[in-house]
Structures are given as C-alpha cells and as structure tokens.
Amino acid sequence: DVLRRITAVNVVANDLAVEADGVRGARFVAGDWAALKALAEAQRLRYDVILAAEAIYRPGAYEDLAALLEQCLAPDGLAWFAGKRFYFGCGGGTASFAGFLRERGFDVRVDRVVEDKRSNTREVLLIS
C-alpha cells in the first residue's frame, strides 16, 4: 500500500517516465525477502538499480535479504539502502548490515550520512 500510495506518487511528482501500470523499467515490490527471492529466481529478474529504505532493522532478515540481492542485482548493478545507523531494540542498522554484506563479498560504503542532532543518525549504503 505504501508503494502504491506514496512511492509511486513521488515518482510521478518528480517527472519520471510513467506508463499505465507504473514507472517504465521499474518494479515496486514488497513482501517476505525469501518469497521475493523465489519469485525473482523463477522470473529471472535482474536489476541495474535497487532502492530500499527501512529494510534492515532486523538482523534475522539479513541472510534472506543478501540472497535476494545476490539474485536480483545485475553484475554491474548498484543498490542503495537507506536506514538508521542503529535500530534500538531491534539490533539491526546500517553498520551491522554493511558488515554482514562485506562478509559475503559485497562492496559496501556509506554514500550519505544524515545527522539532524535530534534523532538517530541515518545513512544511505551504496552496495555493489
């Protein structure tokens, strides 16, 4: 619902190419990471760019999320994951997710840091 009511609306508001069923060349997906990986594998989906936000708050999901990235990210593709440096009470965050991916051979760097001095530090990870 968020993808349809907010993400897609933002895409249109920013004048990106839109077709009747969404953004040309883009696909908005949500759901369990393992189920999405199975779908991507069955349909042989590969993407040059993957964007995600607030997806890395639970370390227990890292394995499935990394498997999804391995399946879907094209060989020269790039992924940007935005999230909090630390998710208090959940155990996850950009720092632990980056370390997890590096152990599996991904190149990961912090592309952007947002610190407003009022809330948790947010980062955007660039993954290849």
Side-chain angles (χ1 to χ4, degrees), residues 46 50 62-75 77-79 81 97-109 125-128:
R46 300 291 276 182
I50 295 174
Y62 289 178
E63 190 69 47
D64 289 338
L65 189 49
L68 179 62
L69 275 173
E70 287 170 349
Q71 174 63 42
C72 290
L73 192 59
L78 298 172
F81 276 66
F97 185 61
F100 185 90
L101 290 179
R102 286 183 189 113
E103 290 175 1
R104 280 146 187 81
F106 287 94
D107 181 43
V108 184
R109 70 177 176 87
L125 300 177
L126 176 57
I127 303 161
S128 57

Side-chain angles (χ1 to χ4, degrees), residues 27-93:
R27 186 174 199 169
F28 301 103
V29 297
D32 175 74
W33 300 127
L36 290 173
K37 184 209 179 264
L39 172 71
E41 192 170 27
Q43 295 184 11
R44 295 187 174 123
L45 300 175
R46 300 291 276 182
Y47 295 99
D48 295 322
V49 174
I50 295 174
L51 305 174
E54 303 300 333
I56 56 175
Y57 54 88
R58 196 169 54 85
Y62 289 178
E63 190 69 47
D64 289 338
L65 189 49
L68 179 62
L69 275 173
E70 287 170 349
Q71 174 63 42
C72 290
L73 192 59
D76 292 327
L78 298 172
W80 282 270
F81 276 66
K84 295 175 183 171
R85 187 176 287 161
F86 300 104
Y87 287 90
F88 298 103
C90 299

